[in-house]
Every structure is written in structure tokens, then in C-alpha cells.
């Protein structure tokens, strides 16, 4: 919201502070100032001069020598301007003064251009006559200025030689830009900001006195209004003005609009813009002669309707767009833009003024739906006060009378089915002080409320809230008003107090931290991939048509087909990242992700899906299946459940190599799977090397994990070691052998380790040699060789049942 200080002073005339003090204090009182611009920042020593005489330059055909009365003295100035004549009052920058860069070239001269006296073709010149561009403005805001020449003050301007030219032109102003929060819709207007200024500086706020004289007649004889959709249009107010006279606006109105950055068009358009900025209430004007049946109907459009707006564009409508119609046709899109078929032209005789309140949410959706946003719609989407409409339309009619634009017909058509009334809140000073940590007196609080036009009834102890303050709804809101005018900087600093609580991470978060540490300690980098995927992923991963993985949740408003479903597998994002690394010539890559997958209980969804976290690990380059298996063993051991973990061969997962994958199990419980990526899948992801993957279910991991550790002292008795080399069929996995070793070793078996696997000439075809070292120890005695031998014999007997022999 931009507010010129000069306009604010129209309602707070006693305001007299410099701009720096102004913005600092306004910010401290809760009106966040984003920026401010001094319109005269590059203008210095510019005064009004009167041209007394003009003579031709002796040595230049295009220059003239002027004697200019500056009030206290007469200066000689040389100029090439063709539009000046004797007797003209013009702005002159004196020696040592500054002007803005002409034609808006302020990038080259951000601090303006300094003017010095000198000679032009041998003739002394003691200043420079200024065009409007050199004063930092343009003909858009000063249409009386010549297109190329010196600005000449109009005869009725009331200026005299020696006056401050910058002030005479209304350029001694500053424009303050505020960031207004959406709950303070009353501050999207000059009156609203002026009220805040008056309250902040404790000055008297003088709003405009609205009084429409009228010219007789009855508005009901000219127009009738019917609102069919009162939920979208709580209030619609209409007035009629006859005998319209279109012409230029007065200087004061042009200057105020110019300070706001609005170009003057004509008196009629300027009045609607002026009232919209002054009251924050958008208005619209219709040519009454174009309104069929002289009736306004406010209703929803029909699906597929087409309507041409004032900008000449055809808009496609639907039943959620609110329209202003006459008895035959649509004439405006409510709250957004009028129609080409009812536009005001220079030939207008009778004017219909509209001021309404529309549902903000509907206006916002309508602007998106039809692709059109305007200054008016930007106001309506905030949610205006319905009680503002009547005051604003009366203000517009008052200005029409004052500016001689037409004759206002008596009476108002006001369709207001459910009037909004003022709210009341209890006055609770003790609670407010407790909330703020202050000791502000009741009288001071009421004084702050009085500045804001909040009324107090001592009989009922209630505060009455005006309808324009829609943000005040409870005691805390009132306490905030007290705080900002008492001064946030005056509120004492206090330490927070309350019962002490011990904060810590949840058990699942601690497990996740350990997982991250183990993965990163083994060279894996954390990844974060999208939960949204494409259905094409299933084909890339060779997922069968009847697989449960294909039962994915479809997103109702996806970003595109590639992000149209929720993932049921955590692999695609990680494989895509590995592919990117591989194709950018990274020799090796290791990635992991704690990824959520989304498994619906039924489709279409009738309840929330199961959201399960998976640890997904992927790698290529140095390392193989056993490298990844070692990382998992380190992880499960750290989490306290790796002792009895098993890896069973499997062919369940289609995206893994059928002969190089295994289920990770704890007893009969499946914890996850590990394996080499299927070569065809690797090719689908453009990876021309072996890729190894492992996936663990974090819910199961968390359930199995334990931080309980039992201390065991250093062994007091010696252990005995036995090495055993075995010849086994290649089809037998070492895991099956290890199960037998653990079973036969019993409590005396302290540890075992596979230290050699051999295939070659010294073993028969179809066989392999595996060698283990085993350590036995008793906690209460020294083992005898006989005891260990009995265990080995028992072990060999059990292995013999599997056709396993000792290697000779």
C-alpha cells in the first residue's frame, strides 16, 4: 500500500514530523514500512521566476537571453526553449542547485544533476529553466506541461517570483510503502492509514465530511436492484447522476492521484479512482442508457457463457463467477471488470454508480478462473466491510457535485439483506496486562482504544468494535492494540517460565540417526527423492501387471504424468540418481535414502494409506554383493539384532538378478532384501555396470532393535581353536553350513569365521572348498581336548548328512 504524506495530512492536518521519524514510529506501532521515496530527493534550489524580457542571442539563432525576476533579484538566463514568452512564470534552478535526470535517465544520474552558472556561446547564464521531466515527473501527471519545453505555471496557480517551485508543483512530498497484512483490510485505504497515523502520533483524525445535496427526483424511478446470490454479494448500493459533464479534474485531485501513481483521465474516472484509494472501496460506473429495463440483477453466470470485458477480451465464464446483469444481458463481472456493452463514453447523459461488497474468496477464484486481475479485484479479495459501500458511494456523489460533473438524483438503492453489526468484547485490563507482562493502567488502555474509534461502555464494561476492524475478535486482539501503542520497546523483558520438561528424540528417531551414521561411515551419501512418480516406473523395474506394487495412489491434481502417483517402491529415485552419476563419468557412487512409500489399503481410497519408511541403499563401482552385505551386518549388529540374522536365496523381486538376491530374515520375519540389480533394469536406467541394492523395512528394524547390552568380563580360561576345511557341492550355501556349526557348537562355541573359499583343480568338478576357524571356550573351566573333539565329530556327522566331507 502506497500512501503520499500530503494525502495523509488532508486527514491529519497537525502531523508535522520529518519522514525518517515518521517511518520509524509507524513501524514501531505495527504498520510495517517497506520503503519510502522522497519525490524531491534530487531537487535543490528551484524557485519560481518571472520572465521580464526576452532578447535574441547575439551568436546563436536557436538561443534566447532572458531577464528573469526571482523575487529578490533579477537573473540573466540563456535558454533554447521555444514555448516561453515574456510574463511567464517558470521553475528555475539556481546556481549550485540540482535537478533530476531528464527523460527518466536516473540510472546514469541516480543523485540528480548539479547546475552551475556559466556561459552559453559567450553569454553568461545564471541558472536553468526546467521542464517537468527535469523536476522528476512527466506529462502523465501534469498534462498542461509542454511535450518539449519549459514548464509554465498556469495563470490561476497563485504563485509569484521567489516562491518554492517544488512546493508549488506539489513535489515536496514523500510516498511511503507499507506491507499490509491480510487481516487489516481497513488499512488498504488512505483513510485507514490516516487513522493509524493519527493514533500513532496521538493527533486528531479528521475524516472527510460526506454530505450529498441532491437535485431532486427519486432514484427508484431510474433503477431497481435484485441480488439473487446474497452469499456472494452481501450488499449492493446504487445511485444515479444525470446531466453528466465530462471534463478535466481539478489540480488538487490530479496531484493526489499523481502522488499515488495514478494518471488523471477525466473528472468522472478520476472520482472513482480517488474514492477507491481514499476509502478502499472499488466502484463502477455504467451508462444508464445501456442498462436494459433500468434494472440490475446480481447472479451467477451460466456454464460456458461468453462475455467481453472493457479491455476488449472475450472471457469464458462458469456458474461460480458472479455477474452484474440487466434485464437482458450481462454488463459486468462482479468485482473485477465492467463490460464493453455498458462502458462510459464521452456521450454519456445519465450515470449509474455502483458500490458493492462481494465475497473475497469467490472473487479470488474468479480472477484465476477467467485469467483477469484488476485493482478492484485486489481490494475485494481482502474481504471488505459491507458498511463501507454506502459511505463511499455518497463520497463519490459529493465529489460529483463539488466538481460540477452532474446532478445527483435523490435517494439510494441499497440491497442489504443481512446488515453487519458492530461486535462487542469485554474489557479485561488485568488479563491483558498478564498476557503482555505489563502494568498499564485502565485509563491508558481506554485512551489507546479511543484513538482507534473503539467505544467503551462503563455500564456494561464492554468495548464496541467498529465494523471496519474485522481483525478484533477476542481479548488477545485488544491486548495487541494496547501493546503497539504503549510501545513494544517499552514492554519489559521477561524470561519464559513453566514446568521443566526433558526433551529428547523418539526411539525411532534415534534408530534413524544410527542408520544414517553407519551408512555415511561406509561411504554412502544421503539422497532425498520425490514421493511422486510416473506409472512408467513399474515397466522400467519389470514389475508384473498383477503385482501389488502397481496398486498406487493417483494424485488428483498432479504436476504432470511423471509425478502422477505416490511411490510404492523406494527404488526409482535412487536408481535415477545413480544413473545420473554413472552417465557423468563418476567411477563409483554409493547412495542411501530413508524413503517413505505409500501403500493403499483399498482403491479408490476410503481411508489413509499405510505410510512406511524404507532404508534403500544402492551402489556401483568398487565393492560387490558381499560389501553391501557387510554394511548391513555392521548396521544390524549396532542395532542389536544381527546375531541370528540370515540371508536366504530368493527370486521374489523382479527387479533384482534372479540368481543373486536374498531375503534378510530374523527367524521367520522378513526384514528386507538384498541383491544385484537385474541387468535389464540396469539397462533401462542406462547404467552399464553392476549395481547392488538393499532395502530394509524401518518399522521392522525399529521393532527388532535394542540398546540393551550385557557386560561380559574378560575370559578367565583359555580357548581352543580348530580349523576345518570342507568339500561341499557348489549348490550348498555357506549359510546352511553355519547353521549346523552353531547348532553343534552349542554354548562352548565362542566364534566362527569363514576364511577361505576355493574352486579349482584340487577339488572335484561341481564342488568347492570352504574353510572355517572356530574358537571354543568354557566360562567356568579349562576345556579339555576331548570335549572339543566330541563337538567336531558331532559336527562332521551332521555335515555328512548333507554330503559334506573333510578336505583331504
Amino acid at each position: 500500500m502506497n500512501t503520499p504524506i500530503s494525502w495523509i495530512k488532508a486527514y491529519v492536518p497537525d502531523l508535522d514530523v520529518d519522514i525518517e521519524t515518521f517511518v520509524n514510529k509507524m513501524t514501531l506501532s505495527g504498520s510495517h514500512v517497506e520503503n519510502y521515496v522522497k519525490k524531491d530527493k534530487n531537487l535543490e534550489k528551484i524557485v519560481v521566476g518571472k520572465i521580464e524580457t526576452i532578447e535574441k542571442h547575439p551568436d546563436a539563432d536557436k538561443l534566447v537571453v532572458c531577464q528573469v525576476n526571482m523575487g529578490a533579484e533579477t537573473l540573466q538566463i540563456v535558454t533554447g526553449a521555444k514555448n516561453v514568452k515574456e510574463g511567464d512564470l517558470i521553475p528555475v534552478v539556481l546556481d549550485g542547485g540540482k535537478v533530476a535526470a531528464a527523460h527518466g535517465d536516473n540510472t546514469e544520474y541516480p543523485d540528480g544533476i548539479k547546475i552551475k552558472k556559466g556561459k552559453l556561446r559567450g553569454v553568461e547564464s545564471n541558472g536553468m529553466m526546467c521542464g517537468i521531466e527535469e523536476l522528476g515527473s512527466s506529462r502523465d501527471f501534469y498534462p498542461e506541461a509542454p511535450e518539449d519545453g519549459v514548464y509554465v505555471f498556469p495563470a490561476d496557480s497563485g504563485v509569484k517570483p521567489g516562491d518554492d517551485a517544488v512546493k508549488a508543483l506539489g513535489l515536496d512530498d514523500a510516498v511511503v510503502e507499507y506491507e499490509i497484512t491480510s487481516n487489516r483490510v481497513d488499512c488498504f485505504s488512505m483513510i485507514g492509514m490516516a487513522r493509524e497515523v493519527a493514533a500513532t502520533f496521538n493527533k486528531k483524525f479528521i475524516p472527510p465530511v460526506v454530505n450529498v445535496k441532491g437535485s431532486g427526483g427519486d432514484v427508484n424511478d431510474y433503477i431497481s436492484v435484485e441480488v439473487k446470490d446474497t452469499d456472494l454479494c452481501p450488499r449492493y448500493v446504487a445511485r444515479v447522476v444525470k446531466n453528466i459533464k465530462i471534463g478535466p479534474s481539478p489540480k488538487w485531485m490530479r496531484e493526489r492521484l499523481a502522488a499515488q501513481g495514478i494518471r488523471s483521465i477525466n473528472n468522472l474516472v478520476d472520482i472513482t479512482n480517488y474514492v477507491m484509494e481514499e476509502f478502499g472501496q472499488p466502484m463502477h460506473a455504467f451508462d444508464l442508457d445501456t442498462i436494459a429495463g433500468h434494472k440490475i440483477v446480481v447472479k451467477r453466470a451460466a456454464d460456458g457463457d461468453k462475455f467481453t470485458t472493457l479491455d476488449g477480451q472475450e472471457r469464458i465464464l462458469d456458474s461460480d463467477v458472479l455477474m452484474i446483469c440487466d434485464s437482458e444481458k450481462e454488463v459486468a463481472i462482479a468485482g473485477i471488470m465492467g463490460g464493453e456493452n455498458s462502458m462510459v463514453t464521452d456521450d454519456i447523459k445519465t450515470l449509474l454508480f455502483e458500490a458493492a461488497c462481494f465475497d473475497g474468496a469467490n472473487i479470488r477464484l474468479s480472477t484465476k478462473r477467467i485469467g483477469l486481475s484488476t485493482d478492484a479485484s485486489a481490494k475485494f479479495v481482502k474481504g471488505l466491510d459491507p458498511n463501507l459501500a454506502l459511505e463511499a458511494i455518497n463520497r463519490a456523489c459529493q465529489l460529483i457535485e463539488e466538481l460540477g460533473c452532474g446532478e445527483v438524483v435523490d435517494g439510494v438503492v441499497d440491497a442489504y439483506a443481512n446488515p453487519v453489526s458492530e461486535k462487542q468484547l469485554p474489557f479485561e485490563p488485568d488479563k491483558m496486562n498478564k498476557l503482555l507482562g505489563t502494568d498499564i493502567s485502565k485509563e491508558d488502555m481506554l485512551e489507546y482504544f479511543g484513538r482507534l474509534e473503539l467505544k467503551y461502555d462503563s455500564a456494561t464494561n464492554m468495548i464496541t468494535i467498529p465494523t471496519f476492524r474485522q481483525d478484533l475478535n477476542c481479548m488477545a486482539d485488544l491486548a495487541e492494540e494496547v501493546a503497539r501503542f504503549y510501545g513494544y520497546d517499552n514492554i519489559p523483558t521477561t524470561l519464559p517460565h513453566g514446568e521443566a520438561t526433558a526433551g529428547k528424540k523418539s526411539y525411532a528417531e534415534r534408530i534413524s540417526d544410527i542408520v544414517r551414521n553407519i551408512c555415511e561411515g561406509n561411504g554412502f551419501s544421503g539422497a532425498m527423492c520425490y514421493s511422486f512418480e510416473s506409472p512408467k516406473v513399474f515397466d522400467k523395474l519389470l514389475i508384473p501387471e498383477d503385482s501389488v506394487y502397481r496398486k498406487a495412489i493417483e494424485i488428483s491434481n498432479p504436476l504432470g504424468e511423471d509425478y502422477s502417483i505416490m511411490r510404492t517402491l523406494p527404488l526409482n529415485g535412487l536408481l535415477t540418481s545413480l544413473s545420473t552419476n554413472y552417465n557423468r563419468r563418476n567411477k563409483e557412487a554409493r547412495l542411501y535414502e530413508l524413503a517413505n512409500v505409500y501403500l493403499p489399503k483399498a482403491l479408490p481410497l476410503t481411508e489413509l494409506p499405510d505410510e512406511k519408511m524404507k532404508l534403500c541403499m544402492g551402489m556401483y563401482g568398487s565393492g560387490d554383493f558381499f560389501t553391501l552385505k557387510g554394511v548391513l551386518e555392521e548396521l544390524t549388529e549396532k542395532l542389536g539384532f544381527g546375531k541370528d540374522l540370515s540371508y536366504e536365496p530368493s527370486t521374489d523381486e523382479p527387479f533384482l538378478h534372479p540368481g543373486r538376491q536374498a531375503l534378510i530374515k530374523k527367524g521367520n520375519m522378513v526384514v528386507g532384501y538384498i541383491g544385484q540389480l537385474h541387468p535389464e533394469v540396469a539397462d533401462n536406467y542406462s547404467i552399464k555396470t553392476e549395481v547392488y541394492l538393499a532395502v530394509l523395512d524401518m518399522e521392522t528394524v525399529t521393532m527388532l532393535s535394542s540398546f540393551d547390552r550385557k557386560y561380559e568380563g574378560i575370559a578367565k580360561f583359555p580357548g581352543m581353536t580348530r580349523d576345518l576345511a570342507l568339500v561341499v557341492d557348489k549348490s550348498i550355501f555357506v549359510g546352511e553350513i553355519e547353521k549346523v556349526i552353531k547348532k553343534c557348537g552349542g554354548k562352548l562355541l565362542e566364534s566362527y569365521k569363514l576364511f577361505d573359499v576355493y574352486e579349482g583343480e584340487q577339488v572335484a568338478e561341481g564342488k568347492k572348498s570352504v574353510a572355517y576357524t572356530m574358537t571354543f571356550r568354557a566360562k567356568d573351566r579349562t576345556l579339555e581336548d576331548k570335549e572339543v573333539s566330541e563337538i567336531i565329530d558331532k559336527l562332521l556327522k551332521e555335515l555328512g548328512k548333507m554330503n559334506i566331507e573333510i578336505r583331504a
Side-chain angles (χ1 to χ4, degrees):
M1 178 68 187
N2 294 328
T3 60
I5 295 295
S6 60
W7 201 340
I8 294 296
K9 286 184 176 180
Y11 315 115
V12 192
D14 295 337
L15 182 66
D16 186 19
V17 293
D18 61 82
I19 187 63
E20 288 78 11
T21 302
F22 178 86
V23 298
N24 288 336
K25 199 161 184 180
M26 288 299 291
T27 298
L28 287 173
S29 70
S31 299
H32 181 206
V33 176
E34 283 282 337
N35 188 24
Y36 72 90
V37 176
K38 296 175 71 174
K39 298 180 70 175
D40 60 352
K41 66 175 181 177
N42 292 328
L43 306 179
E44 295 178 7
K45 298 177 70 176
I46 302 176
V47 297
V48 176
K50 182 178 181 180
I51 301 175
E52 300 289 352
T53 63
I54 300 178
E55 298 177 356
K56 294 183 66 174
H57 193 288
D59 294 322
D61 293 337
K62 295 183 178 181
L63 298 178
V64 294
V65 181
C66 304
Q67 301 300 319
V68 183
N69 178 5
M70 305 304 301
E73 59 181 333
T74 299
L75 298 178
Q76 178 173 286
I77 299 175
V78 178
T79 182
K82 299 178 181 179
N83 68 308
V84 294
K85 62 183 184 298
E86 292 180 357
D88 282 347
L89 291 163
I90 42 90
V92 176
V93 57
L94 303 176
D95 177 40
K98 287 201 313 183
V99 293
H103 309 297
D105 188 15
N106 293 320
T107 55
E108 186 175 356
Y109 301 101
D111 297 321
I113 300 173
K114 196 164 188 176
I115 303 300
K116 295 182 179 179
K117 65 181 180 179
K119 292 184 177 182
L120 292 177
R121 291 289 187 94
V123 177
E124 185 176 336
S125 182
N126 297 295
M128 185 184 79
M129 301 178 188
C130 302
I132 197 65
E133 289 81 8
E134 289 152 335
L135 296 173
S137 190
S138 69
R139 295 183 69 246
D140 287 340
F141 304 117
Y142 294 86
E144 72 276 11
E147 188 171 349
D148 184 18
V150 172
Y151 180 83
V152 178
F153 285 97
D156 60 350
S157 60
V159 299
K160 62 183 184 299
D163 285 352
D164 186 337
V166 174
K167 185 174 183 179
L169 286 165
L171 295 173
D172 60 332
D173 200 1
V175 178
V176 182
E177 179 186 357
Y178 296 94
E179 178 189 356
I180 308 296
T181 54
S182 58
N183 66 321
R184 287 302 307 272
V185 64
D186 59 300
C187 289
F188 286 94
S189 66
M190 292 297 164
I191 287 178
M193 285 312 305
R195 187 182 288 111
E196 286 292 305
V197 170
T200 299
F201 291 93
N202 199 15
K203 301 292 184 180
K204 188 174 183 180
F205 170 61
I206 305 176
V209 178
V210 179
N211 182 24
V212 182
K213 297 177 181 178
S215 62
D218 185 354
V219 69
N220 295 293
D221 296 334
Y222 290 82
I223 192 70
S224 62
V225 175
E226 179 185 3
V227 179
K228 290 188 175 182
D229 293 287
T230 55
D231 57 326
L232 300 184
C233 178
R235 190 177 196 183
Y236 191 99
V237 181
R239 296 203 71 163
V240 173
V241 182
K242 60 184 181 179
N243 299 327
I244 294 294
K245 298 175 184 177
I246 293 180
S249 298
K251 181 174 178 288
W252 66 267
M253 180 174 284
R254 295 201 312 270
E255 288 181 352
R256 287 187 182 177
L257 291 175
Q260 186 67 354
I262 299 174
R263 183 171 62 90
S264 174
I265 305 296
N266 58 49
N267 51 8
L268 198 57
V269 175
D270 290 354
I271 285 171
T272 59
N273 286 334
Y274 185 87
V275 173
M276 181 170 73
E277 295 301 322
E278 184 179 42
F279 280 81
Q281 170 67 55
M283 301 181 64
H284 190 67
F286 299 100
D287 185 340
L288 185 60
D289 293 333
T290 65
I291 304 300
H294 285 193
K295 181 177 182 179
I296 290 292
V297 181
V298 184
K299 63 180 181 179
R300 285 179 166 87
D303 290 332
D305 277 0
K306 296 180 179 179
F307 181 72
T308 303
T309 47
L310 280 171
D311 57 3
Q313 298 293 315
E314 186 176 73
R315 312 287 176 176
I316 306 299
L317 312 174
D318 61 33
S319 57
D320 289 324
V321 178
L322 189 67
M323 300 298 294
I324 309 299
C325 310
D326 60 20
S327 60
E328 297 176 358
K329 62 186 181 298
E330 296 156 327
V331 294
I333 303 176
I336 301 177
M337 185 176 281
E340 201 173 47
N341 56 9
S342 61
M343 65 187 296
V344 173
T345 65
D346 291 344
D347 299 327
I348 185 172
K349 300 299 181 186
T350 308
L351 177 77
L352 172 63
F353 254 141
E354 162 201 287
C357 181
F358 301 112
D359 179 71
N362 177 261
I363 297 298
R364 180 179 63 83
L365 293 173
S366 295
T367 60
K368 301 291 185 183
R369 203 173 280 116
I370 66 176
L372 177 62
S373 181
T374 61
D375 290 341
S377 65
K379 301 279 188 185
F380 281 118
V381 296
K382 310 298 181 185
L384 298 183
D385 174 17
N387 291 338
L388 187 64
L390 180 60
E391 192 172 359
I393 201 169
N394 286 338
R395 173 63 166 163
C397 290
Q398 177 191 27
L399 291 172
I400 281 180
E401 291 181 335
E402 291 179 356
L403 273 55
C405 297
E407 301 172 9
V408 180
V409 176
D410 287 352
V412 179
V413 177
D414 189 0
Y416 196 8
N418 300 298
V420 175
S421 58
E422 295 178 328
K423 293 174 290 188
Q424 287 193 324
L425 295 174
F427 179 46
E428 302 170 302
D430 292 339
K431 287 186 178 180
M432 286 189 274
N433 274 321
K434 185 176 181 181
L435 179 65
L436 298 174
T438 56
D439 187 21
I440 304 171
S441 69
K442 172 182 177 181
E443 291 72 24
D444 285 345
M445 291 184 182
L446 292 176
E447 194 269 331
Y448 301 148
F449 293 156
R451 299 187 202 176
L452 296 169
E453 300 182 26
L454 277 62
K455 301 174 183 177
Y456 174 63
D457 185 349
S458 58
T460 61
N461 195 41
M462 299 295 285
I463 301 290
T464 301
I465 313 298
T467 57
F468 61 78
R469 287 302 302 270
Q470 301 177 30
D471 60 309
L472 302 181
N473 297 295
C474 63
M475 180 275 293
D477 294 332
L478 292 176
E480 182 182 8
E481 299 302 295
V482 170
R484 65 193 188 97
F485 291 111
Y486 176 72
Y488 292 116
D489 52 333
N490 293 323
I491 296 177
T493 302
T494 56
L495 293 174
H497 57 85
E499 296 181 1
T501 57
K504 64 178 181 179
K505 290 185 177 181
S506 68
Y507 186 78
E509 289 173 330
R510 292 163 63 196
I511 298 297
S512 295
D513 285 346
I514 292 174
V515 168
R516 292 187 182 95
N517 289 336
I518 296 295
C519 290
E520 291 167 10
N522 283 277
F524 286 78
S525 298
M528 184 176 292
C529 305
Y530 289 115
S531 296
F532 301 160
E533 289 186 337
S534 167
K536 298 175 184 176
V537 166
F538 299 129
D539 294 331
K540 291 178 70 174
L541 293 172
L542 308 182
I543 303 298
E545 291 294 332
D546 60 347
S547 173
V548 67
Y549 292 136
R550 285 186 179 266
K551 295 178 181 178
I553 301 167
E554 293 185 3
I555 299 169
S556 58
N557 56 340
L559 299 174
E561 185 183 1
D562 289 343
Y563 303 95
S564 61
I565 62 171
M566 302 296 290
R567 64 183 175 188
T568 56
L569 280 167
L571 300 174
N572 176 65
L574 207 68
L575 289 174
T576 300
S577 297
L578 289 173
S579 172
T580 300
N581 279 271
Y582 178 81
N583 287 286
R584 291 185 180 175
R585 302 181 183 276
N586 286 338
K587 294 181 179 180
E588 65 175 297
R590 296 186 177 191
L591 298 174
Y592 80 93
E593 181 185 12
L594 288 169
N596 285 331
V597 297
Y598 304 87
L599 307 174
K601 298 172 184 175
L603 289 176
L605 285 178
T606 56
E607 56 182 316
L608 292 174
D610 288 330
E611 185 175 343
K612 295 182 176 293
M613 179 177 285
K614 305 284 185 179
L615 168 63
C616 183
M617 305 171 67
M619 56 179 280
Y620 72 80
S622 62
D624 55 15
F625 177 94
F626 296 103
T627 304
L628 186 56
K629 180 172 176 284
V631 176
L632 294 179
E633 289 174 342
E634 179 183 349
L635 173 62
T636 53
E637 182 180 351
K638 182 71 174 179
L639 293 175
F641 68 95
K643 186 175 181 180
D644 298 320
L645 211 63
S646 63
Y647 295 80
E648 296 185 2
S650 171
T651 58
D652 292 349
E653 306 301 345
F655 41 81
L656 295 179
H657 193 297
R660 300 179 184 177
Q661 60 172 291
L663 292 177
I664 306 168
K665 300 181 72 175
K666 176 76 172 180
N668 294 323
M669 185 180 298
V670 176
V671 182
Y673 51 84
I674 181 175
Q676 180 184 331
L677 187 65
H678 196 292
E680 187 176 341
V681 177
D683 189 59
N684 290 340
Y685 283 91
S686 302
I687 306 176
K688 308 301 181 184
T689 188
E690 293 180 353
V691 179
Y692 297 95
L693 298 171
V695 175
L696 298 182
D697 180 66
M698 286 302 295
E699 184 178 350
T700 306
V701 168
T702 303
M703 180 185 66
L704 294 174
S705 298
S706 171
F707 294 119
D708 294 335
R709 299 290 187 271
K710 184 179 291 186
Y711 171 75
E712 293 186 3
I714 298 174
K716 297 180 180 179
F717 299 96
M720 298 183 66
T721 301
R722 292 286 190 272
D723 290 342
L724 198 61
L726 304 170
V727 178
V728 302
D729 292 337
K730 287 185 178 181
S731 60
I732 296 177
F733 293 97
V734 293
E736 299 176 49
I737 298 173
E738 291 173 358
K739 286 182 181 179
V740 178
I741 292 175
K742 288 188 286 184
K743 178 182 176 182
C744 295
K747 294 182 179 180
L748 296 180
L749 178 66
E750 184 178 69
S751 64
Y752 62 89
K753 182 179 180 181
L754 175 69
F755 66 87
D756 182 55
V757 178
Y758 172 76
E759 295 181 29
E761 296 179 356
Q762 298 182 21
V763 295
E765 186 176 350
K767 300 284 187 177
K768 62 182 176 182
S769 170
V770 296
Y772 283 92
T773 182
M774 294 168 284
T775 301
F776 299 90
R777 191 190 309 270
K779 296 180 180 180
D780 56 350
R781 67 187 189 281
T782 300
L783 283 177
E784 297 181 3
D785 184 70
K786 178 182 178 182
E787 293 179 274
V788 175
S789 296
E790 288 177 355
I791 293 174
I792 297 297
D793 290 341
K794 181 180 177 182
L795 172 62
L796 293 175
K797 184 177 180 180
E798 289 295 322
L799 293 175
K801 296 177 183 179
M802 301 169 61
N803 199 24
I804 297 175
E805 302 175 350
I806 294 180
R807 182 179 174 186

